[in-house]
Amino acid sequence: MSETRKTDAVRLHRELDEIWHTPRGLQRLAAVNHTILGRRFIIAAFVFFSIGGILSMLIRAQLATPNTAFVGPEVYNQIFTMHGTVMMFLFAIPMFEGFAIYLLPKLLGARDLAFPRLTALGFYCYIFGGSILIVAMLAGVAPDSGWFMYTPLSSSTYTPGINADVWLLGITFVEISAIAAAVEITVTILKMRAPGMSLDRMPIFAWYLLVTAGMMLIGFPPLILGSILLELERAFDLPFFDPTRGGDSLLWQHLFWLFGHPEVYIIFLPAAGAVSTIIPVFARRELMGYRAVIVAIVAVAFLSFGLWVHHMFTVGIPHLALAFFSAASALVAIPTAVQIFAWLATLAHGRPRFDVPMLYIFGFLFVFVLGGLTGVMLAMVPFNWQVHDSYFVVAHLHYVLVGGFVFPMLAAAYYWLPHVTGRLTMHKISVPAFWLIFVGFNMTFFMMHLTGLRGMPRRVHTYPSGVGWDWLNLLSSIGGFILTMGFALILVDIILQFRFGKPYRRNPWGARTLEWAQPNPPPSYNFASLPLVDRRADTLDPHAIGNDLAAGKGYLGFARNGWQETLGVDMTTGRPDQTIVLPNRTFLPLYTAIAIGLFVLCLLFKFYWLSLVPLAVTLVLCLAWTNVTGLRHDHGELDIGNGISVPPHYEADGPPSWWGMVFLLACNGTLYASLIFAVFFLWLVAPGWPPAELVETGLILPLMTVIAVVGAALLSRMAVAANAGGGGALPLLLCAAGAHVVTVGLLLYLINTALPEPTSHAYAATAFVTLAYTAIHSALGIVFALYGAWRIMNGFVSARRSLDLRIGKLWHDYTALTGVAGIALILVMPLIVAIQGGGQ
């Protein structure tokens, strides 16, 4: 080991490159390196942005003049639905994911993300899911019910065919990528920072990304649940949204906007993080109010989940709820203003210098503040009633989302593009590109405020002349084409920068964050050795740090056992507590994404029994991921340099994979909570309650089911304890698997014998889904228990190496908790329905 540390820097870099390098050719499809995958996400998101932009030009061509016959209403409905879908789901979130995936390890002083293969799987799911939507559009069967898919318009009665199914299944496929990224980002920030980087030393961008990832884990499950329920209704006639059978179309709106409004801030916060990173660099001053900004970020995240109903002010909700959600909608402006004033104060107290990124920052401040002002206007119920579903709302939406995301992302692109290319931009093109975008954007969307105030409804494919909308729409369309020319110039500018940009060595902006301590373009392993951070990580000296790290003077300044090593730290203090061994490149994420894609296509084309084949293949491939993970003998403490030794993550208390399961189950729990919300919402609001036929289970079978599912969790806990004591875990795990088998059998029996026909009433449908949820989780519990037994028999588990068993225990505990809650709800449902019926 000591001889390894003494090797020269050239040899160190060569050894690390051999371990971390991804070869070209077909091997590129097996890449799991975050630098490669981050660039792929960004490029793919830009391609989808271009598609969305072309669709917007078709919309503006249609609306440029009254009574236009450019496209008919059917085609127009597909165009505007796909425009919103592409921009919201295939551009904004994936673009943020791409920046996060590329930058996070570099900002945090790590060599890669926590779960490289999960990132690769997320990328392929994103590409395949987005491709389903685009191919459907080219085939003329794109979704046409609006990007919000309101029921009953999107139900099979009013939207037959596969148009709506394309949206529901394609978007759910894409959401796999979003959830994967959220888990990846959260665990990476909390566990894989540089030694010494405590939470209060993190760069501000990492705080923004951490809060955003947490919001994704909570905000995305309601949409996923809504999509599943609506697809079940369309495919199997389960009446969750059918008011004639105890459903309610407003349930879809609640589930959608429980996702949809936090989504606005999920899009905005990473962009604001880029602004908070860039402004101090060009102001040559530390960010003012660092802690106040962090509090504001958390406040925005918290408040964003209490605003969803302000999209539903006109549906007939109680006046008290109107007042509450109106106040909450106005209140969110306060933490947003804190961030804006922190940026302005940083500029005011600094010595600003101007470059292309700052042009887009000022464009962002102008546009976003205007969008915020109209947002406060829309939060006021009387005004909202007047302009609801008008083009005023369209204008506000674009001022907030384009102003709050696209302008900052363009600033970020020009700021970090030299990091990717190792070259500087061509100013002769980038400056006029900005002005075309700024002028074109305001010309396009400011006019929409006026058309909305004059009464023009949104989502119409044409309009009559002589009502005062003609010239405003024409100006909007002209502005849209000017805006498009600006984006075309940016594309040209980026291509020229890659080819002809002026080369530079390191840190052209004089930034003070760790990503600029690397050579540019960065190597596959990021840092030859990992830094010690003894101050806030956006006040460092990248030049001095970079030279020391390149010489191997930091942590892990050596290659060992051919491992891809990086460090894990205590979440709060940043003290190193484990060395993390990451998996190397593999085709398994690609194969798994293909299997999931085939499963989705089988569902899309109604081949339900055939879909079990790719589903089984997906499960087998996921198990195959584990062949290269784990250790067959205990290693104990490993030297990481500078006199410190820590265990490998397989022997540590809180490794990334354990925390990954924790956050994944938190996301899953949010989906389950959304299901419970749906049940109670229908009880309280939907027509046709109580139903004529109630669930009749008795007490014996539910009690036996509870005993079985809780018993599986207890047996898993006993197995972990027995393993820690030196043995005896294998039979306990086999018994846990058997308990899950009993649970699944009892649940299937209850579903088939005790429930009314699920298609008869929403009451029976919700009971069916609740029991099916537990059955699915218990079936996976069998897999977890048997997998743990297999790992024991193959020598991957010891008293020190119990990670596989502890992850399984989390799953068994969660299944028991939700199973007991679901069965209790089934037992209580007849009682509550009877009470409700008696009260009526």
Side-chain angles (χ1 to χ4, degrees):
M1 184 65 65
S2 59
E3 293 180 3
T4 302
R5 292 196 209 124
K6 294 177 183 177
T7 55
D8 60 11
V10 174
R11 180 179 174 184
L12 172 61
H13 285 268
R14 185 171 62 248
E15 290 175 344
L16 290 173
D17 187 65
E18 289 177 0
I19 295 172
W20 292 83
H21 178 65
T22 302
R24 296 193 177 277
L26 288 178
Q27 284 294 319
R28 216 66 173 171
L29 295 175
V32 296
N33 184 271
H34 81 100
T35 300
I36 296 172
L37 293 172
R39 290 199 301 252
R40 287 179 180 175
F41 264 101
I42 293 171
I43 293 170
F46 188 82
V47 170
F48 283 118
F49 176 73
S50 301
I51 294 171
I54 292 170
L55 294 174
S56 71
M57 291 300 95
L58 296 176
I59 293 172
R60 289 318 316 168
Q62 172 70 17
L63 298 177
T65 56
N67 301 312
T68 303
F70 179 58
V71 295
E74 292 81 9
V75 174
Y76 182 83
N77 286 342
Q78 293 189 30
I79 290 173
F80 96 80
T81 298
M82 283 298 297
H83 168 70
T85 299
V86 167
M87 290 305 196
M88 294 294 287
F89 296 101
L90 303 182
F91 162 64
I93 296 296
M95 180 64 80
F96 136 65
E97 292 171 7
F99 272 96
I101 289 166
Y102 179 85
L103 284 172
L104 257 183
K106 299 170 172 51
L107 277 167
L108 299 175
R111 282 178 173 158
D112 210 319
L113 297 165
F115 311 113
R117 295 180 299 178
L118 184 63
T119 304
L121 173 66
F123 172 74
Y124 288 120
C125 288
Y126 162 50
I127 291 296
F128 295 159
S131 298
I132 289 173
L133 289 160
I134 300 303
V135 170
M137 180 178 66
L138 295 176
V141 291
D144 54 2
S145 303
W147 67 272
F148 34 80
M149 290 294 288
Y150 279 176
T151 57
L153 179 63
S154 56
S155 67
S156 56
T157 302
Y158 300 101
T159 307
I162 66 169
N163 299 63
D165 300 307
V166 168
W167 193 97
L168 295 168
L169 294 170
I171 291 303
T172 302
F173 194 5
V174 171
E175 296 304 294
I176 296 174
S177 172
I179 297 301
V183 172
E184 180 81 90
I185 291 168
T186 304
V187 176
T188 298
I189 293 175
L190 291 177
K191 288 299 297 179
M192 297 180 64
R193 307 189 298 270
M197 189 185 289
S198 57
L199 284 177
D200 60 350
R201 290 176 178 172
M202 285 202 309
I204 193 66
F205 196 28
W207 271 108
Y208 276 96
L209 294 179
L210 177 62
V211 172
T212 303
M215 292 176 67
M216 291 170 68
L217 291 175
I218 299 172
F220 279 57
L223 176 65
I224 295 173
L225 175 70
S227 299
I228 292 171
L229 296 183
L230 183 53
E231 183 59 26
L232 287 174
E233 179 171 301
R234 290 179 55 85
F236 303 110
D237 198 31
L238 272 61
F240 303 104
F241 309 102
D242 183 358
T244 65
R245 290 179 289 163
D248 196 319
S249 59
L250 285 183
L251 174 60
W252 171 264
Q253 289 198 38
H254 280 288
L255 293 174
F256 182 86
W257 291 116
L258 276 168
F259 149 83
H261 200 82
E263 158 102 350
V264 173
Y265 296 96
I266 289 170
I267 291 171
F268 164 68
L269 284 179
V275 173
S276 293
T277 301
I278 295 169
I279 283 180
V281 173
F282 287 91
R284 290 175 281 194
R285 165 93 191 196
E286 293 180 19
L287 178 68
M288 298 288 288
Y290 171 85
R291 287 179 173 80
V293 169
I294 293 172
V295 172
I297 300 167
V298 176
V300 166
F302 178 78
L303 290 170
S304 70
F305 287 99
L307 308 183
W308 81 94
V309 176
H310 87 209
H311 295 271
M312 303 168 59
F313 280 167
T314 61
V315 302
I317 62 176
H319 287 287
L320 182 62
L322 286 175
F324 172 82
F325 287 103
S326 177
S329 301
L331 188 63
V332 77
I334 296 175
T336 305
V338 168
Q339 298 172 72
I340 293 173
F341 283 117
W343 299 328
L344 295 177
T346 303
L347 290 169
H349 288 80
R351 293 175 290 113
R353 58 191 176 93
F354 294 93
D355 211 312
V356 175
M358 287 302 291
L359 279 175
Y360 287 99
I361 295 294
F362 282 115
F364 151 74
L365 289 172
F366 178 84
V367 173
F368 183 73
V369 168
L370 289 180
L373 291 174
T374 57
V376 173
M377 295 165 66
L378 287 168
M380 303 300 107
V381 176
F383 184 83
N384 187 291
W385 280 349
Q386 296 299 315
V387 299
H388 185 77
D389 268 349
S390 76
Y391 259 84
F392 188 94
V393 178
V394 177
H396 161 72
L397 176 71
H398 285 83
Y399 263 80
V400 170
L401 292 183
V402 177
F405 183 77
V406 176
F407 276 91
M409 284 296 103
L410 290 173
Y414 275 104
Y415 177 73
W416 276 298
L417 198 58
H419 192 284
V420 179
T421 65
R423 297 174 179 270
L424 299 178
T425 188
M426 312 284 288
H427 285 191
K428 291 182 179 179
I429 297 180
S430 52
V431 173
F434 163 78
W435 287 110
L436 285 172
I437 290 173
F438 183 77
V439 172
F441 172 83
N442 284 285
M443 187 175 177
T444 301
F445 295 104
F446 184 79
M447 302 302 168
M448 292 184 188
H449 291 102
L450 304 180
T451 54
L453 290 174
R454 291 189 174 197
M456 182 173 176
R458 62 196 298 193
R459 308 169 195 143
V460 293
H461 79 286
T462 189
Y463 54 92
S465 61
V467 292
W469 305 341
D470 304 30
W471 65 275
L472 292 173
N473 275 300
L474 180 60
L475 288 175
S476 285
S477 295
I478 293 172
F481 284 95
I482 294 173
L483 180 65
T484 303
M485 288 189 287
F487 283 115
L489 270 187
I490 286 181
L491 178 60
V492 172
D493 189 32
I494 292 173
I495 294 172
L496 290 177
Q497 179 174 339
F498 270 90
R499 182 68 180 87
F500 301 109
K502 180 181 178 182
Y504 75 98
R505 297 192 62 178
R506 179 180 288 160
N507 196 10
W509 309 118
R512 303 179 69 184
T513 44
L514 277 173
E515 77 273 25
W516 298 106
Q518 301 173 316
N520 303 116
S524 55
Y525 46 87
N526 283 340
F527 302 97
S529 58
L530 304 183
L532 173 66
V533 175
D534 58 359
R535 69 195 77 171
R536 221 173 74 196
D538 48 12
T539 61
L540 304 173
D541 181 356
H543 182 75
I545 292 174
N547 291 335
D548 289 341
L549 298 182
K553 296 180 180 179
Y555 295 94
L556 294 180
F558 47 83
R560 173 168 47 201
N561 300 334
W563 288 350
Q564 292 189 350
E565 286 186 271
T566 189
L567 287 179
V569 300
D570 179 82
M571 284 188 176
T572 306
T573 65
R575 175 184 55 83
D577 61 8
Q578 57 194 274
T579 178
I580 298 169
V581 182
L582 298 174
N584 211 322
R585 62 184 179 273
T586 173
F587 286 98
L588 283 173
L590 173 61
Y591 298 153
T592 307
I594 292 173
I596 299 172
L598 292 174
F599 172 70
V600 170
L601 290 175
C602 286
L603 296 181
L604 181 62
F605 293 109
K606 316 300 183 185
F607 301 140
Y608 297 118
W609 287 108
L610 183 60
S611 69
L612 297 177
V613 175
L615 185 62
V617 171
T618 300
L619 178 60
V620 171
L621 288 171
C622 288
L623 291 173
W625 286 36
T626 64
N627 283 338
V628 295
T629 60
L631 302 172
R632 290 183 181 269
H633 62 274
D634 296 340
H635 281 68
E637 301 286 314
L638 297 174
D639 183 17
I640 62 172
N642 296 329
I644 299 178
S645 296
V646 295
H649 76 274
Y650 298 108
E651 302 175 17
D653 289 335
S657 48
W658 188 87
W659 281 107
M661 178 59 79
V662 169
F663 290 115
L664 185 62
L665 290 177
C667 177
N668 195 356
T670 304
L671 185 144
Y672 189 71
S674 301
L675 176 60
I676 302 302
F677 164 82
V679 173
F680 281 100
F681 175 83
L682 293 177
W683 268 343
L684 297 172
V685 175
W689 288 73
E693 189 178 3
L694 302 178
V695 175
E696 296 180 0
T697 64
L699 289 176
I700 301 300
L701 287 177
L703 184 60
M704 291 174 60
T705 308
V706 167
I707 292 172
V709 73
V710 172
L714 292 176
L715 287 165
S716 171
R717 285 178 165 269
M718 292 168 62
V720 172
N723 179 74
L730 180 59
L732 292 168
L733 285 175
L734 295 176
C735 289
H740 278 302
V741 171
V742 172
T743 303
V744 173
L746 289 171
L747 287 169
L748 292 178
Y749 183 78
L750 283 171
I751 289 172
N752 288 318
T753 62
L755 296 188
E757 178 60 37
T759 60
S760 63
H761 195 276
Y763 165 85
T766 54
F768 168 79
V769 171
T770 302
L771 292 180
Y773 179 93
T774 301
I776 292 169
H777 282 71
S778 201
L780 290 173
I782 299 171
V783 176
F784 274 100
L786 293 178
Y787 171 74
W790 179 82
R791 296 286 277 187
I792 290 174
M793 291 186 291
N794 284 271
F796 288 101
V797 176
S798 70
R800 292 180 61 95
R801 291 174 284 114
S802 61
L803 176 59
D804 297 311
L805 304 189
R806 287 185 286 133
I807 289 176
K809 180 175 73 70
L810 288 173
W811 185 268
H812 301 307
D813 288 347
Y814 176 84
T815 301
L817 180 64
T818 55
V820 170
I823 293 167
L825 181 61
I826 297 301
L827 289 174
V828 172
M829 282 171 79
L831 177 62
I832 296 181
V833 172
I835 293 173
Q836 184 186 26
Q840 292 174 349

